[in-house]
Amino acid sequence: MEADQRREWMKSRRKMRKAARGARLRRQTLRFMLLCGLLFCGGACFTHMPWSVHNEKTQIVLRGNSVASKEQVLKLLGSAMDVPIYRLDPKQLEKQLASLKAVRYAFVRRYALPQPKLVVEVLEEYPWASFSTDPNCHQWLLLLSPVVLSRLRISLMWSNHIWLSTLIQTLS
């Protein structure tokens, strides 16, 4: 009797080991299939998503520019068009933008999702004064920044230069 019991016990142990091996094989197969699926989905997303900036008017957001025109900035960012976002170097774009005389600092951020876009933050160096001619009357005009105008108003409140204060009022 003991030999039959021992034989049955050995058969049940073999069945348990065989079932454990089968479960381990199924888990490994499932892991392999999930890994292949993730790699396939990642590759499909990488190849089918629009990664580059195509429309400069809607996909390049410009903030903080009042002296430098949008056209000047977009002209410098022309090298970033149709280049994948992940290949753009923001530091290089910032150096290109800082080459403008009116721009003191520029910060470029890249966004890939939901749509690729570039966000450009510009900190400008405001001129305290500049000379220009009016094309209609050919007279020289002095254009002062608002900070300088406010300082001149404060200093003229205590002086008797009426002609200078009327000039500042007409300029502002």
Side-chain angles (χ1 to χ4, degrees):
M1 249 337 209
E2 284 186 25
D4 290 337
Q5 281 181 340
R6 184 158 174 84
R7 212 175 283 135
E8 289 297 322
W9 179 74
M10 286 172 65
K11 281 183 182 179
S12 68
R13 292 281 292 167
R14 281 188 208 125
K15 284 182 182 178
M16 286 173 39
R17 277 184 269 160
K18 188 176 179 182
R21 250 186 267 130
R24 190 170 43 247
L25 184 63
R26 282 191 297 274
R27 280 194 306 266
Q28 287 176 348
T29 305
L30 181 65
R31 283 184 197 139
F32 181 73
M33 296 298 276
L34 283 174
L35 179 67
C36 288
L38 283 174
L39 287 175
F40 178 76
C41 289
C45 287
F46 196 73
T47 57
H48 293 299
M49 282 187 67
W51 287 101
S52 58
V53 175
H54 297 293
N55 188 355
E56 62 187 22
K57 292 188 186 337
T58 59
Q59 293 179 327
I60 296 179
V61 179
L62 188 57
R63 296 181 187 152
N65 65 321
S66 59
V67 177
S69 68
K70 188 171 183 174
E71 289 78 25
Q72 288 176 327
V73 174
L74 291 178
K75 182 180 173 186
L76 287 176
L77 292 176
S79 63
M81 299 301 291
D82 298 324
V83 176
I85 289 285
Y86 55 87
R87 284 198 171 173
L88 290 176
D89 184 15
K91 296 293 181 192
Q92 183 182 8
L93 293 175
E94 290 169 5
K95 285 179 185 176
Q96 286 177 356
L97 291 174
S99 68
L100 289 173
K101 289 184 180 181
V103 176
R104 182 182 295 173
Y105 299 108
F107 304 100
V108 177
R109 285 184 262 153
R110 308 172 290 177
Y111 294 101
L113 297 174
Q115 289 293 324
K117 69 178 178 178
L118 291 175
V119 176
V120 180
E121 297 276 343
V122 176
L123 295 176
E124 294 180 334
E125 187 169 337
Y126 293 101
W128 66 273
S130 63
F131 288 104
S132 66
T133 58
D134 187 7
N136 297 330
C137 63
H138 302 291
Q139 294 176 351
W140 288 93
L141 295 175
L142 177 65
L143 303 175
L144 298 173
S145 70
V147 175
V148 174
L149 279 175
S150 64
R151 288 181 185 163
L152 278 175
R153 281 193 197 108
I154 291 170
S155 65
L156 289 176
M157 286 188 335
W158 303 105
S159 67
N160 292 329
H161 299 293
I162 296 171
W163 64 273
L164 194 54
S165 62
T166 56
L167 175 67
I168 290 175
Q169 286 175 356
T170 59
L171 287 175
S172 61

